[in-house]
Amino acid sequence: TVPADVAALRALEATRSLIAGDDVQSFSSEVSQTVRDYVETAFGVRAPRRTTEELLAELMHDASPVSAHRAELGLFLEHCDLAKYARFALSRAQMTEMLDSAELFVKATAGGAA
């Protein structure tokens, strides 16, 4: 079995090709789903079908390493929500920053994953 962090980092790397295509919605959906899947798999927190607010509320009570990165995760998910639902226009640089922040979140929390 591939560790959750390794699987997430591979999936995130695969989304880099979407940046060149300027498809903000597909890119944001893929990155957001990957991070949510990672949180669920690594920490046992049901994430994929929850709103950002629901997910962060649960993490507020979580003693796992995710809680230490709650602010970063919240900001990342808010950007994803803007891109997905409000059709917020992200530049290629912003898309790269979003992907980089997702990778940093996974790497920062990987050591404490169950």
Side-chain angles (χ1 to χ4, degrees):
T1 295
V2 176
D5 60 311
V6 173
L9 291 171
R10 287 179 184 167
L12 289 169
E13 186 58 35
T15 63
R16 284 200 185 271
S17 63
L18 295 175
I19 294 174
D22 289 328
D23 187 347
V24 174
Q25 273 196 290
S26 292
F27 169 81
S28 298
S29 292
E30 289 293 323
V31 175
S32 175
Q33 190 62 49
T34 297
V35 171
R36 288 171 180 269
D37 288 346
Y38 166 72
V39 169
E40 179 176 351
T41 302
F43 302 99
V45 175
R46 288 287 303 149
R49 306 237 188 292
R50 291 199 172 168
T51 66
T52 298
E53 292 78 18
E54 290 170 339
L55 178 58
L56 293 176
E58 179 157 337
L59 293 177
M60 293 290 268
H61 304 290
D62 188 0
S64 77
V66 174
S67 62
H69 301 278
R70 192 180 312 114
E72 295 91 336
L73 178 60
L75 183 60
F76 166 76
L77 291 173
E78 287 170 20
H79 282 284
C80 287
D81 287 350
L82 282 173
K84 286 190 325 190
Y85 303 117
R87 300 196 182 275
F88 185 71
L90 299 176
S91 67
R92 287 185 183 182
Q94 289 170 316
M95 292 167 73
T96 299
E97 288 173 14
M98 183 182 288
L99 183 57
D100 290 346
S101 70
E103 290 174 341
L104 286 172
F105 171 76
V106 171
K107 289 176 183 175
T109 58

